[in-house]
Amino acid sequence: PPIDITDQWLAKVKEAQPELQEEKKERYQKEYDIPEYDINMITSSKHLADLFEDTIALGAEAKEVSNWLMGDTMRLLKEQEMDVEDITFVPAQLAELIELIASKQINRTVAKEVFEYIFKESGSPKDYVKEHGLGVVSDEEALKSSIIAIVDANPKSVEDYLSGKEKAMGFLVGQTMRAMKGKADPAMVNKLVKEILEEKR
């Protein structure tokens, strides 16, 4: 008997087909504001593409997800001599890490440490931050007292700054971040260091 192929049946078959790489690339270019290089890399692996899309579906920004996949993920894969298919962290972990950064609960220095943890272990970024006391120190008074001590211990840098050498402030900011073990909010540290130095005029 003749086979009756309906439009509905064809649509159903088409829907069941996996999205081809070229189709995926085209869709990413329309939907996400990320570089073409990133698109090519992400769409070259189904595992990577699924990780990318599923993390975005959990509320993470596409550019941020792409940066973590193209940057630290690729670096660690190379260091560990692993393939993309060996990635074990899941979208929920990456989305949680990105949310911790976006909500300023951790800074990017700490985020790199947390990412290495989720790359190697199957745990919650939030729990890791809490257990290791890695949350951003945003207590202005605590920061101020640390900065004052560092400024007092570096009179030459203060003198340089007051004579117009802006780089001296960068040194004092760096010393503060080191003293706070990288947990301070860099923007707040910059603001407070500048204020304390200006008071010396």
Side-chain angles (χ1 to χ4, degrees), residues 28-65:
Y28 280 18
Q29 280 164 350
K30 286 176 188 168
E31 291 181 15
Y32 309 120
D33 180 26
I34 60 173
E36 192 175 344
Y37 175 81
D38 292 19
I39 290 172
N40 291 336
M41 286 291 289
I42 292 168
T43 57
S44 68
S45 156
K46 185 179 185 304
H47 185 52
L48 208 56
D50 288 347
L51 189 53
F52 174 70
E53 291 189 39
D54 292 347
T55 306
I56 292 168
L58 291 169
E61 188 190 12
K63 184 74 177 129
E64 191 75 6
V65 179

